[in-house]
Structures are given as structure tokens and as C-alpha cells.
Amino acid sequence: LVKAVPTPNNGYPELVRLNCSNLENDSFITWFEFLKTKYIYDENKKNFRTIDFPIDYEFSYYLESKGITKEKELSEVTIQCGINKMDLAIPEFFTLFQERATAPFFVFQLFCVALWCLDDYWYYSLLTLVMLVLFEMTLVQQQIRNLSLIRQMGTKPYPMNVYRLRKWCKIDSDQLVAGDIVAVGKSIDSQLIPADLLLLRGQCIVDEAMLTGESVPQMKESVEFDEIHQRLSIDDHGKLHVLYAGTKIVQHTPPSKMNSSHIKAPEGNCTAFVLRTGFNTAQGKLLKTIMVGVKRVTANNLESFFFILFLLFFAIIAASYVWIEGSKNEARNKYKLFLECTLILTSVVPPELPIELSLAVNNSMMALIKLGIYCTEPFRIPFAGKIDFCCFDKTGTLTSDLFVVEGVAGIDDYRSITEIDDLPKECVDILATCHTLSQVDGTYIGDPLEKATISAINWSVTKNDVVTPKTRKGLLKPWKIIQRYYFSSSLKRMSVLASQDIENKIIATVKGAPEILRDMFESLPPYYNDCYKRLTSRGSRVLALGYKDIKGVKISDAKEMSRKEIECGLTFGGFLIISCPLKKDSKDVMKHIINSSHYVTMITGDNPLTACHVAKELSMVTMITGDNPLTACHVAKELSMVNSDHILILQKKEDNIFHWVSVDESIIIDDVANASNRLLFENDLCITGEAAAFLTTNHLSFFCKIVARVRVFARVSPKQKEQVINLLKDRGYVTLMCGDGTNDVGALKHAHCGVALLANPVVEKKKTKKDEKSLESSKPQVSKPQNSKFTIRNKGAPPPSESFKESNRKLVIFLNCLLSHIIKQGRCTLVTTLQMFKILALNALILAYGQSVLYLDGIKFSDTQATLQGLLLAGCFLFVSRSRPLKTLSCDRPLPNIFNLYTISTVLFQSMCHFASLIFLVSNAKRISGHKSGEFVDLEKEFQPNLVNSTVYLIDIAMQINTFAINYRGHPFMESLSENKALRNSFLISGGALFVLLTEFVPSFNEWFQLVPLSEDFRYMILGVVMTDFAFCWLIDRCLRFLFGKGFQKKI
């Protein structure tokens, strides 16, 4: 056996079986499987490693591969890497229950139950045991439901063509192994891609929404036209060349020409190489993340541990008191004393603690699921209540897919903007050809910006990458796109080769960031820099356009030209100006989040000016963007996002040296990392992605100091998005990242709360009155079906089922409702958890006093009394954790943790007040009953009701009810006590029962609780003490809450 210990928040340690498998060459491998991942022992490194899949070879290796050619090779690959199975067998109910029943916490609770049985509390022990078992059974049932949902997400096996043993054959997709050559294409029944595949030949358009949340289908190109000696990198080449498991091909184009050495796929399909299989694929990793998440439903584990230690301190004092004082009577049974001391020590872990913590998280998780928000790591929900920075991606998150093409600037002069209808032929040719659009079933697939552009110039994209003008006016003629060089975040440009067969003409068209294309133009107009800076400073999205004629070159030879040869000596074609409208609720979401004491940040690697336009419309406090720094800073200043007259930008001078310069250039600071310069801390800062890389390499400590003060991060890459999140985390800020698409995956994973938007239609169903009320309370907005784009899910959340995705897109729950709900549920869960710690701490301290001081006086409850008290207060324990958040976010922040001045002081002072009430009533009860002090009490005699016992029992119930009522938080984070009907009714029932017991209105009821009759004066005394105890405790808590009970937004 091997003990496998996972990384934090990725499951639990397990003892797993160590296996040994023989290979064909008389060698063997030693391996084990943990969390669906296979680990093989490496003889050279003397440690276990994951499987080495063929994912880092040169492109030539894959192109020349003939797949699995020998049975021996197939056997070895199967043993080492395994087949393409994602075994999601659902364990039986008893198996899962047994797993939970053997957990340390549950075993400890069973031990406590056994101790209560030894102390003759049979009914109470049975009640506690039933409560624990029922709760664990509920969790097991929920776990089975979640696992069933995950199982539906897996790709069902289906027959597919595989080139194996030098021939094409039909093999089920779950029998694939790494190294196979497969035929892929659009299937009639829309089958999902079964494994991670490298596209060798042909072209595919793939819908990755179910895996990454990217709403726009992605174009996948084969590797045969790339530099064949470069090594494959999933991170760098995955977006263009890899077909990921769990995605769906919506259109494919077979290879145009085939050499005799090429493997030709049957049925006109494309060929692909199997890179990874099973749970090692992108889909498999996602499923593993979710599977780990459904097993972990808890909150504040570390704080719970310290909380128990805090209570243990008082329990040790109480147990020591019982042992020391009890041992003074030599006749007393030491076994009973030891048992009582053990009970006191174990009482610091109330049986309700794990139940309450899990219920608080579970209830929030269920509430989010009803809103279409799937939480794959439930323990992160309380983090949503502590968030300092809310970080947003731009495209698809804050902006819609609708772009407005305003025209092209810079064609004639500095100021004029040429309308689309008046563009010269060369400019129209650039816009018509330089894109990645394709036509699928009569609709365009690709970047929404390019859809808007092709629509604005009134051209159409037909099959086989031919673009034609819809109106044959002027000299406009169709173009055939023969080669594309795709856009990447690092290059910030794309280029295309297109031809006209009629005139045997070939052109290269390029578009991209103005500052990137500047050095590629053969000649520039004198107003080039001023023109694009002026356009960016007003918040437009600007793309530089360029072209050149490829003369004297055949089409076949043109395809062999490198990207560097194409992207040089360009003729300037102008600046394309585009505006990007916001989502309908983006302004509201910024307003709500800023007003609720959060810093709002935008992190995007998109084309320069989109984020600037977004920032111009949104009152964002802090902006981290992928836009041009001048534009973003101008917008920030307009929106009063800055606190001074100047924004200092860290950028390169012409001599490649960085310096700080204000937008109006009135301030220039050459000393980049001078932490003593007041200007750097009195003004708002802007850092470009290039400057961020410079600071990371040369002045990392200085970068860490100013990162929270930087108002704008411009031109950031996906890796720099992660860096921004990590730097904020290192500075102690709790972060939320909200985005869609593959560019945000790293930042989503590194943030405390990663929220992924998924293109996710909502099934239209007949509304009930309850649904209408729910929709009215969350205020979703209805849009036209074509605008239906986003619902929300947490990091790695399960995508909807296929039938769900194919339904009509009628309703969109927008970002405003959903993000607000996440934060509200997070705050509600956090506050509920903290208030439960307070309540349980007070009850534990009162119990410790009762089991020590009062126990030695012979005061204890009967089994019947303890059981009835548990039943009477069960509703309070159950419903206090089922509070719902308010409809609006509060500007107040909750306290982030248990150990704060307010919580500790209110627990201690309320305990003192309760102790005073107990001592006062017990002393009066003893006086009335004629109890003699100084005598040793027989602790082992059978229970007999008396005045002291009845008094303590009544005041104990009253104090527990008071504790719930006083320490229930309510507004501004959750429903008030009057609004929480279930909890309110529980209080009324418990309080009514207490009132009946005090007034002896129903004598038989008192007899059932084994209480003795009380004199009228003493009843009034108890009632007065109960009211006084409530008043003083309420006053103490509210005063301390006013002084120390508010959370504060961290300063930057």
C-alpha cells in the first residue's frame, strides 16, 4: 500500500494499492492510481511521476506517425497510458455511507454518544445518534445525485475510424490509446470529441463552450503548414491545433491535397493524433475537479480547529475543577468523576458543529444552483463574502457581441473618418479578407467583431473560404482566402493571403495593434501616431490595417511563404474604428459592487481599445485592462476613477528605457523604482504588460508595493492576468475573477473565487407563481434569442447536458443578478458560520459550567429532560443556518474571521451575564428549598426532580433561546428574524413552550418535563431574570457590534 497525499483542496489522503505490470521486453512497471490519475515509479529519479503522454514532440514526429503499428506496441501503451475510459461508476449508498461513517469527526461524535450512554442518557444519546445518521445519509444521497450529474457529463463511447496496425478499422472511442491516428469530422448525431487530439490534416471549426465557456466556435488548423521542427506546446499551440475532449466539431474541411505518404481518412474526414486519453484529457481534468468538489462541503476548517482549542481551554479548567473538588470526597466513585471530566472535555465539540457548518455551505450551494450557478468547490463560497477585488474580463463578460463599425480613419488626413460606403477598394479588400470567419449551416462562425465588419462592408463569406461582395458595384471582385496566420495575444495581429483567380492576383492583408504594425509599414503618414492616439484617447477600439501585393508568385509558392515574409513592406490602409456596446446590466453590476465596498478591476488581454470603451461607460474604481494605456487612463480620468490630476504611465521611451510619464506629459520620472518618490504614491498609476514584465524581472519588490495602487494594467497577456491575481493575493487581498473563454482559465484558477461564464441557454418552461416571484425578486432581463449568451458557473463548473444546450434560447439571467447573488450568498454563508460559532461557543461555556460547578452540587438533567430540550431547540439549530440573503448588497462588509475583538468580547461578556443569572437563581432556589451547603452530594443516586433542578432547566432553555435570538445577525447581510419565517416560528414554539412551563398553565406539561411546581413569587423571579438576562446580553452585543462589529475595506 502507498499513502497518497494530494495538494490542498484537491481531495483527501488515501491508502492506495501498489500494482506491478509486466511489459513485453521482460521489464515491469510499478504504479498506483489516485484520484483517477495513474502514477508510475521512475527508476532514474527514484520517485513516482504521472504518465508521459506524447505531448511535447516536434510537429514532424506527429506528421510522419503511422499510429500504432504492432500488437506489442499496443500492449505496452495500454499498460503504461491506459485506454480512453473515464470510469464514473457511482458507488453504492452503503459504500459511501461507510466512508463517511469512518471519518474522524463522525467517529468522535459516536464516541461522545457512547459516553452519554454510559452516563445513563439513553434517549438523548439515541436522539443525537439519529440526528447524526440522518444528516450523513442526506449528504450521501446528495453526493450520489452529484455523481450522477457528473457521469452524464462524460462522453459516451461510440464507434470511430482508427488507423491501427497499418489499416483503418472501427473501434469504440473508449478503446483509443495515446499514439493512435483517428478520423474526425462533423457527425450526424453531434458526437463529442472523445480524447485530446492534434489535428494533422484538414480544418475544423469546434464548439468549445461546454469545456471552456468560450461562446465563439474556434477554428482549428492542421500542423502540416507550420514549422515542422518546432515542438508542440499545449499552452501555446492548443488553441489553434488541438481538439479537446468534450468539445464538438460543427464543421470540418478535409485536406485539399494528399501526398502518397499521407494517411487518407475515410469518409472525407480529417486526420488527428491522439495525445491524451481518459482522465488526463482536458475534459477528464475538469471532471476530476468536480468529483473532488462534491466530496468537500465545509467551511473555515483551520478556524474551526482554533475555535475548538479556544473552548478546550475553558473545558480543561472546568474538568480540572470537577476532578479536584470531586476527589475531596473519598467515597465518590472515581470512574464516575472521570466519566464526567471526559464529557466536559468532549463537549467543546458540539455535535451540531459539523452539521451547522455543512448546512450553511450546502444551503448556499443549492440556492446558487437554482440560479444556474454551479459551484464545483463549495468550500470557496465563504470566500465570496470576504472579497476585496472583483476582477473582470472584458469580452463576453461586461460587453456584448454587438460591435459597431464607425469607419476608417487616417486614409486622407489626420482628422477625417471615412464612412464604410466611401472606402477605397484596397481598404475594402483588407476588411473582406483579413478575418477567420466561416459559414456553417448558413450562419457565420467566428469573432463577433469580424462578423460586424463583414456585415458593415456588405460582403458575404461562402464555403471554401471565398468572400464575395453582395452588390457588384465598382471594381469589387471575389477573393479566395488561401492561407491564414491567426491572431495571438503575444503577436497582437493576424494576416491572410488571398487570391483572385480571374486576374491571377495575390495579396497579403494584415490587421492588428497600431503600435505593433507601425514598424511593418513601408512608409507611414506623418500623422500616424497622433491619429491613433487621438482615437484611442476618446475610447474607440482601433485596428491598424495594411496590405501588399504578392507579385510573380504562384499560389502554391505563396502558401510556403513565412509569416515574417508576409508581414513586412506593407502599405498603410488606415485605422478601423469600432465601438463595443456594454451588456444591459454592466453599469448596474459595477454600481452594486462598488457600493458594497469592493474594488473593481478589469483584466483583459483583448485588442487595445475595447476595455477603454467599457471603462468609459462604467464607473470602475480600479481598471486592469488589455487596452492602450493612453486610452484607458483618459477614460479613468473622465470617470473620476483617479484621485489626482495626473495618471503616471510606466512605458518605454524611444531608446527602450522605461520611465513614468503623465498623460499630459507635464510629469516625467526617470527613476522607475524609486519608492521614496511621493509622486508615485500620490498619483494613480498605469502599467503596460511590457512594463509589468520589466518590473517583474528587475524590480519585483517595488512592483509588489505598488500593485494595489495601479489603476490600469494595459496590454496584459493571459500569463500576466495570473500574475496580477497572484500579486494581489500575496498582498493579502481576497480576489474574485470573472471571465469567459480560455484566456481566463489561469486567472480563474488562481483567484480565491473563479467565476466562469458559460454560453448556456435556459430551458423555457411553464412558469408557476413561485417561479414568477423568484424571477421578480432576482430581476433577470429578457433579450432577443440571438443575444442570449451567458449564464454563470463557478470555476470548473459542470456544463449543461446536451438536451439542455439544444433547447430554445429564451431567457438570460444576466451578470448583475448572478454576481450579486454569489457575493450575497458568500456573505450570508460567512455571517451564518460566524454566528453559529458564537452560539455554539456560548452554549458550550454554559454547558461546561453546568457540568462542573452545578454537577458537584448534584444538579443534573434527567434523560427525558435532555431529550425534550434537544427536540425543543432542534428547529432553532436547523433553521438558523437556512437564512437567505437580502435582495440588495450592503455597503457594510462582514467580519472576515472568527477571531476578532467583537466575537471574542461578546462571547465572554454574554457568558458572564448568563453565569450571573444562573448563580443568582441557583442560590435563591437553594435558599428556598433549604439546601445545606458544605455537604457532599451523592452524585450516583437516581434522578429526582427538585426545585434547584427545575430552576436550572428552565433558565438553561431560556438562555439558549436568548442566545439564538440575540446573536442572529440579520440585516444587512441576511433576512431579519421576523423575515426568516421558519426560524421565527421555531422561536415562537420554543418560547411558547418555555412560557407554558414557567406559568404552569398546563400542569401535565410540566410533569412530562419532570419539573416540580414553583411558587408564584419564584416564577416571577425567574421570568424577571430571563428578561433581564436577555436585555443585558442584547445591550452588550449591540454595543460591541456598533464599536467593533463592522468589517472594513482594506486600504490600497
Side-chain angles (χ1 to χ4, degrees), residues 339-350:
L339 178 62
E340 190 65 25
C341 292
T342 308
L343 283 170
I344 294 173
L345 293 176
T346 57
S347 68
V348 301
V349 186

Side-chain angles (χ1 to χ4, degrees), residues 739-755:
D740 72 326
T742 53
N743 283 342
D744 306 313
V745 170
L748 290 171
K749 287 182 178 180
H750 284 83
H752 291 95
C753 295
V755 182

Side-chain angles (χ1 to χ4, degrees), residues 664-683:
D664 58 6
E665 299 186 356
S666 62
I667 298 177
I668 297 177
I669 303 174
D670 292 322
D671 191 355
V672 171
N674 185 2
S676 62
N677 194 324
R678 288 189 304 116
L679 291 174
L680 295 181
F681 294 91
E682 291 177 354
N683 294 278

Side-chain angles (χ1 to χ4, degrees), residues 701 704-708 726-733 1050:
S701 60
C704 293
K705 287 181 181 178
I706 66 169
V707 65
N726 286 327
L727 285 175
L728 289 172
K729 287 171 62 179
D730 291 342
R731 301 298 292 174
Y733 297 104
K1050 291 183 180 179

Side-chain angles (χ1 to χ4, degrees), residues 131-149:
M131 181 177 64
L132 292 174
V133 171
L134 286 177
F135 176 72
E136 295 296 339
M137 291 174 65
T138 303
L139 290 183
V140 168
Q141 195 64 43
Q142 181 185 331
Q143 187 176 342
I144 290 176
R145 287 198 301 268
N146 291 339
L147 290 172
S148 300
L149 176 63

Side-chain angles (χ1 to χ4, degrees), residues 40 157 355 382-383 501 511 575 781 798 882 906-907 911 916 973 1009:
I40 298 176
I355 297 176
F383 278 110
D501 294 334
K511 68 180 180 183
F575 296 111
Q781 302 180 28
R882 297 177 67 90
T906 191
V907 167
S911 299
F973 305 116
F1009 277 79

